[in-house]
Amino acid sequence: MNARLGFTNFSLDATINPDFSTIESDEGQVTVNERFALFFPEKRPFFLEGIELFATPNRLVYTRQINDPLGGAKFTGKFGRLATAYLTALDETPGEDDALFNVARARYDLGSASTAGFTYTDRIEGD
């Protein structure tokens, strides 16, 4: 089940037990050097919408770490020069504790080509 509330400056998205079976599979990658993690681009619609608001010069947000979400919610909006985004998702991991992911991002436009912002991420494992 998916829900979306869209307003002039912000939107709220929610999903419960999302079905990603129609998403194309990832391309194969060679794992010769195993000291570095592999990167797969995000293709799931719930995570793609508004992803530009989570963007930073260094990749701080990698939503593919959320493998099998039971549910999630996302708030994105832009109020004048301030852009805000918040994502939370409960990830089910077989054989391990479920994990709650949270990502918050705020970005302020400084002129036409500069921005200042902060990003907060966490992963809480529960019973």
Side-chain angles (χ1 to χ4, degrees):
M1 181 172 97
N2 297 321
R4 180 179 176 101
L5 294 172
F7 298 96
T8 304
N9 295 337
F10 65 93
S11 66
L12 177 66
D13 298 286
T15 186
I16 297 173
N17 197 19
D19 180 20
F20 299 128
S21 63
T22 59
I23 307 302
E24 67 183 83
S25 62
D26 294 318
E27 295 178 16
Q29 294 187 13
V30 178
T31 58
V32 174
N33 185 349
E34 295 183 14
R35 290 190 281 168
F36 300 102
L38 297 177
F39 172 78
F40 294 97
E42 183 62 75
K43 297 178 182 178
R44 301 172 294 179
F46 175 76
F47 296 105
L48 280 177
E49 292 182 25
I51 197 72
E52 68 278 356
L53 295 175
F54 291 99
T56 59
N58 298 329
R59 181 165 300 149
L60 299 177
V61 178
Y62 183 51
T63 55
R64 291 293 299 263
Q65 290 181 330
I66 305 169
N67 295 320
D68 188 15
L70 291 171
K74 182 171 47 174
F75 171 83
T76 56
K78 185 149 177 151
F79 307 95
R81 297 176 133 188
L82 177 66
T84 60
Y86 176 74
L87 168 70
T88 185
L90 181 62
D91 191 27
E92 180 180 40
T93 307
E96 297 180 23
D97 291 338
D98 294 347
L100 180 66
F101 286 85
N102 293 295
V103 179
R105 172 90 168 126
R107 185 184 73 208
Y108 189 79
D109 296 333
L110 302 170
S112 62
S114 298
T115 61
F118 73 89
T119 303
Y120 171 80
T121 64
D122 73 4
R123 181 177 191 254
I124 303 168
E125 293 186 20
D127 293 318

